[in-house]
Amino acid sequence: MIKLTKSIVLLAFVVGFTACNSSTEKKTPSGLSYTVIATGEGEPAADGQYLVMNMIYKDGNDSTWINTEERGYPMVIKKQDSVWLNSEGSIEQVFIDFKEGDSVQFKVQANDLFKNTWKSPIPPGVDSTSNFEFIIGVDKVLDEAGLRAWQQEMMAKQQKIEAEKAADQLKTDVEVIDQYLADNNIEAQET
């Protein structure tokens, strides 16, 4: 069973709560329907800015393909209004009016997703008529300088996590070695 983080549980609660109350249905220029879960503050991101988004999407068998919360870092996509508006049937059309704090949910048929958004063939084992479900939340909207600063911050966090893992592994390795030496009456000198 997939371990749900607090953010995913909160997002699921928001989705459920919103579905029972005042969710807003919208459509992209090419007709893809989506549900607005939450609306952020301010103006939509400008063309060329970066959308830092948390997302989870699953195939028709409820298998998770991407969960940014579990992998530990969000998805970053550069906003390209002219490309997205001309990408008939692409899920990127949902992103056009995104602003910080927005979140949406939608389903798209596998055939359309692979053809119009990912521009790739459908992989073996994926039913072309099944639906992929997306839940997307915009964490930040950044310009070029803001993106570089954010990337440096993320890299520093990742390095700290890796250093902590390495220290934990070293502790475990030393304990295993010491136990082996003790069990086999081996005298060793640490260098």
Side-chain angles (χ1 to χ4, degrees):
M1 176 177 267
I2 296 174
K3 178 183 173 190
L4 294 177
T5 62
K6 289 180 184 177
S7 297
I8 297 297
V9 171
L10 179 60
L11 188 56
F13 174 77
V14 170
V15 169
F17 181 78
T18 305
C20 294
N21 291 307
S22 59
S23 61
T24 303
E25 292 291 326
K26 291 189 173 187
K27 284 191 177 204
T28 66
S30 59
L32 176 64
S33 294
Y34 62 98
T35 303
V36 176
I37 298 169
T39 302
E41 299 289 323
E43 296 296 314
D47 191 42
Q49 287 188 309
Y50 294 87
L51 301 169
V52 179
M53 302 185 294
N54 285 303
M55 70 173 64
I56 183 169
Y57 59 89
K58 299 178 178 188
D59 63 20
N61 294 323
D62 204 33
S63 295
T64 301
W65 283 47
I66 293 282
N67 182 335
T68 58
E69 209 52 51
E70 284 183 0
R71 76 178 186 183
Y73 55 93
M75 180 101 39
V76 178
I77 298 176
K78 185 174 184 177
K79 191 162 185 249
Q80 300 177 46
D81 289 341
S82 61
V83 173
W84 293 352
L85 282 170
N86 292 316
S87 296
E88 190 72 23
S90 170
I91 68 166
E92 293 160 334
Q93 288 188 346
V94 174
F95 308 163
I96 290 172
D97 292 325
F98 272 176
K99 57 187 170 291
E100 196 168 302
D102 283 355
S103 59
V104 298
Q105 179 178 16
F106 60 91
K107 291 182 180 182
V108 61
Q109 193 176 59
N111 187 51
D112 293 336
L113 179 63
F114 282 90
K115 177 183 167 192
N116 300 326
T117 302
W118 294 335
K119 305 199 183 330
S120 66
I122 297 175
V126 174
D127 177 2
S128 65
T129 62
S130 67
N131 286 324
F132 274 69
E133 181 177 9
F134 286 76
I135 300 173
I136 301 172
V138 181
D139 185 40
K140 298 179 186 309
V141 174
L142 302 170
D143 59 14
E144 197 78 39
L147 177 67
R148 281 193 300 276
W150 177 82
Q151 287 172 326
Q152 289 175 345
E153 180 185 324
M154 290 296 290
M155 220 160 45
K157 285 181 183 177
Q158 190 61 37
Q159 288 172 341
K160 181 180 177 187
I161 290 168
E162 293 302 321
E164 289 170 357
K165 285 180 183 178
D168 289 345
Q169 185 63 51
L170 179 61
K171 182 180 174 188
T172 301
D173 292 348
V174 167
E175 289 172 0
V176 169
I177 292 168
D178 287 346
Q179 186 63 51
Y180 178 81
L181 295 173
D183 290 348
N184 294 289
N185 290 327
I186 300 172
E187 289 189 34
Q189 183 176 0
E190 188 175 339
T191 59

